[in-house]
Every structure is written in structure tokens, then in C-alpha cells.
Amino acid sequence: MTTTSAETLTVHLDGSPAGGDLRRVRAALARGLRTGRPVRVDLSGVGRLTSETVATILWARRSCAGRNVTFSVVGDHGPTRRVLRGCGVVEDADAC
């Protein structure tokens, strides 16, 4: 599910995100880049990150940084947080 507020585009992922979920991340990113609104990916419903999910999150983060659009990941926990910290998406345990 993707929610949009006047300020932020949020993509909520659940379970083990697959191709359709990752397309939603990319679509939200495209809207965020066009409008300049921050893009947020909510991982609170995700138990395990696939390599495709991590690659998509890294791509989204870099794309936003290149266009000066704020990008964030929220709801990461346990194993997902460790993976994102290892990839440099989350800098420390309190970042999200």
C-alpha cells in the first residue's frame, strides 16, 4: 500500500516483498522526484529482506540523494535493521 500526505509519500511493505511491492517503491520514488516530496519506505510489516528489496532501497536512496529529495526507511527492526546498517542505509540503531 502507498499512502500520500501533503508532505510525504510512504510505501508500506509487508511479508517478504516481491516484484510488485518493489515496483510500488519505484513508482513512489518517481512521484517523489517529480514533486520534490520526501519518500519513506515503511518496513514494519517485513520480517526478512530479500537481496532484491535491499537493492531497491539502495537504488531509491541514491536516486533521492542525487535529486536532493529526502529518503527514509522506518519500521526496521532486528534482522532488517542489521542488514540496512551493513549496507549504510541506517547509520546507527537509533536512526529510524
Side-chain angles (χ1 to χ4, degrees), residues 21-84:
D21 294 320
L22 301 178
R23 282 190 291 278
R24 287 188 299 123
V25 172
R26 292 181 187 110
L29 174 67
R31 285 193 303 277
L33 292 175
R34 280 194 307 273
T35 63
R37 283 187 287 183
V39 175
R40 177 185 307 146
V41 177
D42 182 351
L43 299 176
S44 58
V46 175
R48 180 180 165 277
L49 293 174
T50 65
S51 58
E52 185 180 14
T53 305
V54 172
T56 298
I57 291 170
L58 287 169
W59 171 81
R61 180 174 165 252
R62 289 178 186 138
S63 297
C64 285
R67 302 253 178 107
N68 204 27
V69 171
T70 302
F71 176 82
S72 62
V73 174
V74 297
D76 61 319
H77 53 84
T80 62
R81 178 168 289 178
R82 284 191 293 278
V83 169
L84 295 175

